[in-house]
Amino acid sequence: MTSTTPQQQRPQRIAFLPGDGVGRDVGAEAVKVLEATAERFSLDLELEHFPWSADHYLETGVTLPDGAVEDFQERFAAIFVGAFGDPRVPDMKHAADILLGLRFRLDLFINQRPVRLWNESLCPLRDKKARDVDFVVFRENTEGAYVGSGGNFKVGTPHEIATQEEIHTRLGVERIVRAAFDFAVAHGRREVCMTDKSNAQRFVGDLWQRTFVEVARDYPQIETRHLYVDALAMLLVREPESFDVIVANNMFGDIITDLGAALQGGMGVAASANLHPGRVSMFEPVHGSAPPLAGTGRANPIGAVQSIAMMLDYLGHRGASDAIEAAIVESLTAGAMTPDLGGSATTSEVGDRLARTVSATPVDGPAALQCEETP
Ligand code: IPM
Ligand code: MN
């Protein structure tokens, strides 16, 4: 038995699961940038590839193999995931088993989704500067509407009944709310906004409301706000600049982070981290597998590459993470963009440029991160 965690061991082992569709295309670029970064910053990392995907499932009948969760916990510091989803698996069984399976079984209770406008030209809103869109969503990732509790009865008859229950626990709510406040303190953020639908969902709403108020007492330096999720959706569009850190349940967090992705330029640029601090954690772009785009060179690798930056930050390599973010800003400023952002660069051209920029990062780190904006 070792006394160090896989995060502390060297090399730090990374499980790499490109998955389906464009997950493989952007995954290849993520590896390219990761390798350039490891080389430039002398990181001792080791990548191990796993073929789990729709193809693998259709060939073998296996989604997430037995023992995979334990293997990840024992040997790996982090997991990178591309995307899952394939029209040949209409019930998404493999995606549910692998993606949701890993979130739940590794107890990755924080789904951290930064929403940051890297370049103001990407914002669909009028007159927004890059600094106006810069907030982080803390989505609860292990309970709520995603627990799969419910059932159906008299299916296919006029009397059909379907139930779908949400489970919210004090422990589950408290730890995600605390994570949001801890992040606010650590990153100099002013406010944490909790969003729910407590005017309609009384019992769950009561638990979230009380927990939020109680946890907030431990963080007197952080301002608090509560918004019903419908009002939050409106305000995210009207005044994104008023948001700093948002904490939400699993389902609301899912919905508002797609809205957030649109504010920063679309699904192609959105990144996420599924975290359990101190344990193996999983990093993935927010977008799906987009089957029609697979292999066309049109997929945007930025969401995947930014997820790599989040992973390196989690693994203790802040300088390397900053260098990747600076490279993303550089590529967007130079107009090296895939078609989803209005450019004509291919997936691998963007990846090559990001890798080259990271490789050329000066020894004392990237220049202070600057987002492109007009004066
Ligand atoms: C996401 C996705 C997943 C989710 C789907 C694929 C189950 O939309 O990561 O946001 O709802 O969590
Ligand atoms: Mn989603």
Side-chain angles (χ1 to χ4, degrees), residues 92 99-100 103 111 113 139 146 250 254 258 284 286:
M92 296 273 286
L99 191 64
L100 298 181
R103 286 181 189 167
N111 194 329
R113 296 187 162 182
R139 166 185 175 188
Y146 281 67
N250 208 340
D254 177 47
D258 270 27
E284 47 161 336
V286 176

Side-chain angles (χ1 to χ4, degrees), residues 167-227:
I167 308 276
H168 301 253
T169 67
R170 169 71 198 210
L171 187 141
V173 177
E174 181 166 342
R175 66 184 182 172
I176 189 66
V177 170
R178 220 168 258 294
F181 277 100
D182 286 339
F183 176 89
V185 170
H187 293 82
R189 297 286 187 151
R190 179 184 48 83
E191 181 198 81
V192 175
C193 173
M194 190 272 276
T195 187
D196 65 11
K197 191 61 191 168
S198 48
N199 49 353
Q201 296 187 302
R202 228 182 78 212
F203 308 112
V204 163
D206 176 57
L207 174 62
W208 275 81
Q209 295 273 352
R210 262 186 300 114
T211 307
F212 183 62
V213 169
E214 286 170 25
V215 169
R217 286 193 197 117
D218 292 339
Y219 303 85
Q221 69 275 47
I222 305 295
E223 292 171 30
T224 60
R225 172 157 55 147
H226 168 259
L227 285 169

Side-chain angles (χ1 to χ4, degrees), residues 43-298:
L43 307 180
D44 194 2
L45 308 175
E46 191 179 291
L47 224 58
E48 200 168 307
H49 289 252
F50 292 83
W52 309 331
S53 58
D55 281 344
H56 182 262
Y57 172 53
L58 293 169
E59 269 163 37
T60 64
V62 175
T63 55
L64 187 67
D66 288 344
V69 169
E70 295 73 15
D71 187 36
F72 284 161
Q73 280 166 331
E74 280 160 29
R75 294 199 300 128
F76 289 88
I79 304 164
F80 174 85
V81 160
F84 290 97
D86 186 300
R88 294 169 302 163
V89 189
D91 63 0
M92 296 273 286
K93 175 163 169 51
H94 71 301
D97 283 5
I98 301 170
L99 191 64
L100 298 181
L102 289 173
R103 286 181 189 167
F104 276 74
R105 293 169 64 191
L106 292 170
D107 198 31
L108 304 174
F109 66 94
I110 302 168
N111 194 329
Q112 184 177 329
R113 296 187 162 182
V115 177
R116 175 151 176 215
L117 185 58
W118 297 105
N119 183 304
E120 71 178 52
S121 73
L122 303 182
C123 192
L125 306 179
R126 225 186 306 121
D127 301 331
K128 294 296 174 195
K129 304 285 185 205
R131 64 168 174 275
D132 290 336
V133 181
D134 181 13
F135 58 90
V136 183
V137 177
F138 279 74
R139 166 185 175 188
E140 202 293 319
N141 213 27
T142 52
E143 36 184 66
Y146 281 67
V147 295
S149 172
N152 46 24
F153 185 50
K154 299 187 181 175
V155 177
T157 75
H159 302 286
E160 178 165 352
I161 294 169
T163 64
Q164 189 88 44
E165 291 156 355
E166 294 192 23
I167 308 276
H168 301 253
T169 67
R170 169 71 198 210
L171 187 141
V173 177
E174 181 166 342
R175 66 184 182 172
I176 189 66
V177 170
R178 220 168 258 294
F181 277 100
D182 286 339
F183 176 89
V185 170
H187 293 82
R189 297 286 187 151
R190 179 184 48 83
E191 181 198 81
V192 175
C193 173
M194 190 272 276
T195 187
D196 65 11
K197 191 61 191 168
S198 48
N199 49 353
Q201 296 187 302
R202 228 182 78 212
F203 308 112
V204 163
D206 176 57
L207 174 62
W208 275 81
Q209 295 273 352
R210 262 186 300 114
T211 307
F212 183 62
V213 169
E214 286 170 25
V215 169
R217 286 193 197 117
D218 292 339
Y219 303 85
Q221 69 275 47
I222 305 295
E223 292 171 30
T224 60
R225 172 157 55 147
H226 168 259
L227 285 169
Y228 298 129
V229 69
D230 48 351
L232 175 106
M234 177 193 64
L235 287 174
L236 277 179
V237 173
R238 285 231 309 238
E239 47 177 65
E241 62 279 7
S242 78
F243 291 94
D244 237 356
V245 177
I246 297 171
V247 62
N249 74 32
N250 208 340
M251 176 75 89
F252 295 152
D254 177 47
I255 297 167
I256 64 178
T257 52
D258 270 27
L259 201 170
L263 296 178
Q264 63 181 141
M267 297 302 278
V269 296
S272 76
N274 301 265
L275 306 170
H276 186 128
R279 295 203 203 164
V280 62
S281 291
M282 181 167 81
F283 301 81
E284 47 161 336
V286 176
H287 64 71
S289 61
L293 286 189
T296 64
R298 294 170 65 87

